[in-house]
Amino acid sequence: MDLTQPMIVAATTQKGGRRIPAAKTIILVPEMCHMTGLTEAMRANNVIMKTLNKHLHMEPKERVEILNKFISKLSGTPNCQKTLNAWGFAFELQLKDCTMGRVLPNETIIFAENRSVRTDANNDFTKALRSHQLLSCIPLERWVVFAPARDMDNARSFAMTMHKVATPLGFRIRKPASYESLQDVRVQGYMRSLETFIGQQSADSLQMVLCVLPNNKSELYYAIKKRLSQDIGISSQCLLAKNLTSKGAMSIATKLVIQMSAKLGGEPWTVQIPLSLRERCMTIGFDFYQKSLNAASPKTGALVGTLNDDHSRYFSVTFNYKNDELEQMLRQGIIRLLEEFQLRNHYLPTNVIFYHATIDEAHFTNGSIYKAAQNLCDEITKWYHGQSNSGFGFVYIGVTKQHNTRILTHRGSCGDGNPVAPVQMMNPPPGTILDKDIIAADGRGLEFYLVPTNARQGTVRPIHYRVILETTGVLSGEVIKAYTYKMCHLYYNWSGAVNVPSTCQYAGKLAKQAAYAMPSGPNSKLSPLLHYL
């Protein structure tokens, strides 16, 4: 070993952003370190990724077999048992058996003219889109296409395909006002073409800009978003050139026009909202994104809230913050959403349901999240009293996506301790809820696990929900669970359910896009639109 080599100082932080004291700073020997993670070249190698996925996304049967072998080996090794006994620590010899799980009924999706359809067994309704018109649409009459010169013919053909698939959806799309051909497909070339063309247009003359990209490099994508979403205030849609001639061009075009409709302010579909939450209710989702791995570095947060009874129109707020500023920024952001709700409806919501995504488990352990929730409720209540004599109900729900809990179900049965049919471990169906057996009975409020989606590979990870604060006094636990599941079906970039309520999903996508492309925040003209979809 080279005794003269410089050491690596790992300036790590504990959970919650607290820096470890200098006396506990970790010193690493370079010669004994190895690089971890995946390079872009590795990610592009299909052979490597296919092999890696076998280990990263284990099927339920394989996961159970590995866990059982581990427990068996652990319990059968005397030295391991001696060490565990010394600490008073023990593992159960079998996986936890939960008997109180249940499955919510398939969701009803509502389209135009109140026509409805049930999701299928995979919680998908893609096929229904072909025979139903979108709930409401705003015609796309003034838009432009930017494409590399070599892809211009394909872009024209694809625009015709978009018109073809949009008509049955009830979405009227006129021919583009212009097709702008780009000889220079670098970032600078796109920026020059955009600025030249838009500079020649009158204010608010364009509704949408469609950009065909030569590759999937993020630098160009975020440069376009920054120029259009932050600086100018025009919704944009990006599309890879290879998709113009894809075998699934019709399917791609369908998804694209639905996104574009939503970005213009259209409402593709809704669900049957419970009566107690349909009127005078606002649902808000919060999530954040952090570009730096340093836990103490600033984060970009996003709040997205519903504006109408169908929960199909949204308003968004973004902000940059440090850990100790979050409570204040949430208060200001939520009040901004409430002001917009009042402006559009001429009254304030009676109930506000707030989903806080990506909460660290440490905040539940030390109880800080419960105090923060109460402080937030108190501040909003004060604001309410200054606006109206009526009170409001506040529900604060913590959403944990990253944890180690897995829920499995099985096909087969056992009798008198002897198998009478082969037992096959499998992922639970969409809509599975577990609110007993593995839930900690700490008496601090409603808590449940929800599996809203169909797992296409690997073992499904349920989403963990905890009701941190509930002041309405009228919303039962069953209503909150069913409502949470319904909200997972209102993300307009997927014709099925997503892992979290739509407001959280939108907030997560907006926060990431704002972190990379909109450091000053989106243009205020786009706040009522899903421009980040």
Side-chain angles (χ1 to χ4, degrees):
M1 177 180 289
D2 182 3
L3 299 180
T4 64
Q5 62 183 300
M7 298 294 100
I8 298 176
V9 179
T12 56
T13 56
Q14 295 175 331
K15 287 184 176 180
R18 300 184 301 277
R19 186 171 293 281
I20 295 176
K24 296 182 179 180
T25 298
I26 300 171
I27 308 296
L28 303 175
V29 181
E31 201 171 321
M32 300 176 66
C33 296
H34 296 276
M35 294 293 291
T36 61
L38 299 175
T39 65
E40 290 299 323
M42 291 178 179
R43 295 181 187 277
N45 190 315
N46 292 331
V47 177
I48 292 178
M49 294 307 297
K50 185 176 181 180
T51 303
L52 190 60
N53 281 334
K54 291 180 180 179
H55 301 278
L56 294 177
H57 305 289
M58 285 186 291
E59 295 299 321
K61 179 182 177 181
E62 297 171 347
R63 187 179 289 272
V64 170
E65 289 175 351
I66 289 175
L67 287 173
N68 285 335
K69 287 179 181 178
F70 171 73
I71 295 297
S72 178
K73 186 176 181 179
L74 198 64
S75 61
T77 304
N79 287 339
C80 290
Q81 284 299 305
K82 183 178 179 181
T83 302
L84 291 173
N85 291 335
W87 287 91
F89 196 76
F91 285 96
E92 291 190 12
L93 299 181
Q94 294 181 345
L95 300 180
K96 176 68 175 177
D97 187 23
C98 304
T99 60
M100 301 299 291
R102 62 191 187 282
V103 181
L104 296 175
N106 288 9
E107 192 53 56
T108 299
I109 308 300
I110 301 173
F111 295 99
E113 299 176 351
N114 208 31
R115 297 182 64 187
S116 62
V117 63
R118 284 270 187 176
T119 58
D120 62 20
N122 294 324
N123 221 356
D124 189 273
F125 53 92
T126 302
K127 292 181 179 179
L129 287 172
R130 301 170 186 169
S131 55
H132 294 79
Q133 292 189 355
L134 302 183
L135 187 64
S136 73
C137 297
I138 294 176
L140 179 56
E141 298 178 338
R142 305 180 306 279
W143 62 300
V144 61
V145 176
F146 287 81
R150 64 176 178 269
D151 298 309
M152 185 53 72
D153 289 342
N154 293 332
R156 291 177 182 274
S157 177
F158 190 82
M160 293 176 63
T161 303
M162 289 172 58
H163 181 271
K164 181 179 179 180
V165 300
T167 301
L169 296 175
F171 180 27
R172 191 171 81 243
I173 299 180
R174 285 193 176 184
K175 293 181 179 180
S178 177
Y179 288 92
E180 297 297 309
S181 179
L182 292 94
Q183 300 296 332
D184 184 358
V185 296
R186 296 174 299 173
V187 174
Q188 302 92 319
Y190 272 84
M191 293 301 101
R192 281 195 301 268
S193 296
L194 283 171
E195 291 172 8
T196 300
F197 182 84
I198 294 175
Q200 298 171 350
Q201 310 302 309
S202 59
D204 300 324
S205 62
L206 282 178
Q207 293 174 279
M208 178 77 63
V209 174
L210 174 63
C211 292
V212 178
L213 309 183
N215 53 56
N216 60 356
K217 291 183 178 179
S218 59
E219 181 184 6
L220 176 58
Y221 174 81
Y222 288 128
I224 292 171
K225 291 297 181 181
K226 181 178 186 300
R227 188 72 184 103
L228 297 177
S229 298
Q230 176 184 279
D231 301 340
I232 301 176
I234 298 177
S235 292
S236 60
Q237 181 68 52
C238 294
L239 172 69
L240 288 176
K242 67 177 183 180
N243 289 331
L244 297 174
T245 56
S246 168
K247 291 182 179 179
M250 289 285 286
S251 177
I252 293 172
T254 301
K255 293 178 180 179
L256 202 71
V257 298
I258 293 173
Q259 285 185 52
M260 293 170 68
S261 174
K263 289 181 178 182
L264 292 174
E267 303 164 49
W269 59 78
T270 187
V271 295
Q272 292 179 335
I273 306 296
L275 186 61
S276 56
L277 291 171
R278 178 170 173 78
E279 296 182 356
R280 292 179 174 263
C281 176
M282 184 179 204
T283 299
I284 301 172
F286 168 76
D287 207 344
F288 72 90
Y289 189 81
Q290 188 173 26
K291 290 195 293 185
S292 173
L293 296 177
N294 184 356
S297 65
K299 303 176 178 70
T300 300
L303 286 162
V304 178
T306 59
L307 293 176
N308 63 340
D309 291 345
D310 285 332
H311 292 25
S312 54
R313 296 188 66 84
Y314 300 85
F315 192 85
S316 60
V317 174
T318 63
F319 49 83
N320 298 315
Y321 70 97
K322 294 184 178 180
N323 289 329
D324 57 353
E325 301 171 337
L326 178 58
E327 193 172 321
Q328 175 188 354
M329 301 307 292
L330 284 178
R331 177 179 62 82
Q332 294 176 357
I334 291 176
I335 289 176
R336 176 68 188 93
L337 293 177
L338 290 170
E339 289 174 339
E340 188 66 24
F341 187 99
Q342 184 180 34
L343 179 65
R344 291 174 178 270
N345 298 288
H346 309 294
Y347 56 78
L348 286 169
T350 303
N351 293 311
V352 176
I353 300 180
F354 178 54
Y355 290 98
H356 186 156
T358 323
I359 299 182
D360 196 303
E361 286 290 338
H363 295 305
F364 289 103
T365 303
N366 60 29
S368 61
I369 188 64
Y370 297 96
K371 181 180 179 181
Q374 187 61 59
N375 290 340
L376 181 62
C377 181
D378 292 343
E379 290 294 327
I380 297 175
T381 300
K382 290 180 183 178
W383 180 84
Y384 250 81
H385 288 162
Q387 303 294 316
S388 169
N389 293 326
S390 61
F392 84 112
F394 189 58
V395 184
Y396 194 123
I397 303 176
V399 183
T400 304
K401 296 179 282 187
Q402 298 298 324
H403 54 78
N404 295 321
T405 302
R406 299 292 187 276
I407 297 177
L408 306 173
T409 186
H410 60 79
R411 179 181 297 160
S413 59
C414 297
D416 299 326
N418 298 313
V420 297
V423 176
Q424 178 185 356
M425 303 305 298
M426 54 196 296
N427 284 312
T432 296
I433 277 190
L434 188 62
D435 53 8
K436 293 192 172 55
D437 294 321
I438 63 173
I439 299 298
D442 57 7
R444 280 192 156 178
L446 177 68
E447 187 176 348
F448 60 96
Y449 286 93
L450 171 64
V451 179
T453 61
N454 177 56
R456 300 181 185 276
Q457 64 174 352
T459 307
V460 69
R461 188 201 307 265
I463 306 301
H464 192 184
Y465 294 90
R466 280 173 273 208
V467 178
I468 299 167
L469 184 67
E470 197 278 319
T471 68
T472 67
V474 297
L475 298 181
S476 67
E478 294 306 309
V479 169
I480 292 176
K481 295 169 197 172
Y483 179 74
T484 298
Y485 182 50
K486 288 175 178 293
M487 289 298 295
C488 293
H489 295 77
L490 292 177
Y491 182 63
Y492 298 142
N493 203 7
W494 182 251
S495 51
V498 291
N499 280 327
V500 293
S502 60
T503 49
C504 288
Q505 190 79 4
Y506 289 132
K509 185 156 188 176
L510 174 57
K512 181 177 181 180
Q513 199 171 114
Y516 282 105
M518 295 172 276
S520 301
N523 192 292
S524 60
K525 293 187 294 185
L526 299 181
S527 294
L529 305 175
L530 297 174
H531 62 93
Y532 44 85
L533 192 60

